[in-house]
Amino acid sequence: YSNPRSTGVIAINLDPNDDLIGVALTCGKDHIILGTRDGMTIRFDEQQVRSMGRASRGVRGIKLRPGDAVVGMVIVEEKASLFTVCENGYGKRTGIENYRPQSRGGVGLKNIKTTARNGKVVALEAVQNNDDLMLITAQGMIIRTGLDQIRSIGRNTQGVRLIKLKPGDKLVAAEKIV
């Protein structure tokens, strides 16, 4: 990456149906959490991922069930919580310590119940108590909320209402504001 060309450099080879959903700088000893649309998460040590060249495919982080897809990646922070947001305006905050480390490539643990009430997961964020969260809907509604107003709850739960949506609207993104 030290000698970029005007046309760019190949950072990773992707299969035709794959998308790159996140990139983060790590120290070599961090833990990584991957989360899926259907509410599964896996936490693993980044040392389980061997070093590779720029133009490689990489390794499996989480085993996906049919119809599922990875929607978020989080680098574990000390004293952080994992904040999960679903498309129908519901979400939850859970302490990272509730997600035990596993071997990379497994199906993971249930993070949130993706029921008809909640909908599918749209975002995961590692958050601290003093952070804010910006929620964005498909129809352009934006709301900013403080995370200190949302209590921490268990891992395999449905969560609480974060935003009241208009009929036919869906939550499409959530971003942490430090």
Side-chain angles (χ1 to χ4, degrees), residues 103-175:
S103 295
R104 139 193 100 64
V107 293
L109 302 170
K110 191 71 167 169
N111 174 31
I112 191 168
K113 294 179 179 178
T114 53
T115 60
R117 181 194 94 155
N118 282 0
K120 301 289 186 179
V121 176
V122 295
L124 297 172
E125 294 286 343
V127 297
Q128 304 287 345
N129 283 339
N130 55 351
D131 292 339
D132 284 354
L133 195 71
M134 186 78 71
L135 303 171
I136 305 162
T137 71
Q139 294 180 0
M141 189 166 70
I142 297 175
I143 188 171
R144 180 176 177 165
T145 184
L147 293 174
D148 55 350
Q149 300 172 5
I150 302 167
R151 68 179 174 87
S152 187
I153 58 176
R155 187 176 49 77
N156 189 11
T157 56
Q158 285 200 58
V160 297
R161 182 189 301 261
L162 304 173
I163 184 173
K164 188 169 184 172
L165 299 172
K166 294 178 183 174
D169 201 4
K170 296 282 183 191
L171 201 58
V172 293
E175 194 60 43

Side-chain angles (χ1 to χ4, degrees), residues 34 36 40 42 60-66 68 70 103-108:
L34 299 176
T36 72
M40 300 300 289
I42 191 165
R60 181 190 304 253
I62 187 169
K63 188 176 194 176
L64 296 173
R65 295 183 174 137
D68 205 359
V70 176
S103 295
R104 139 193 100 64
V107 293

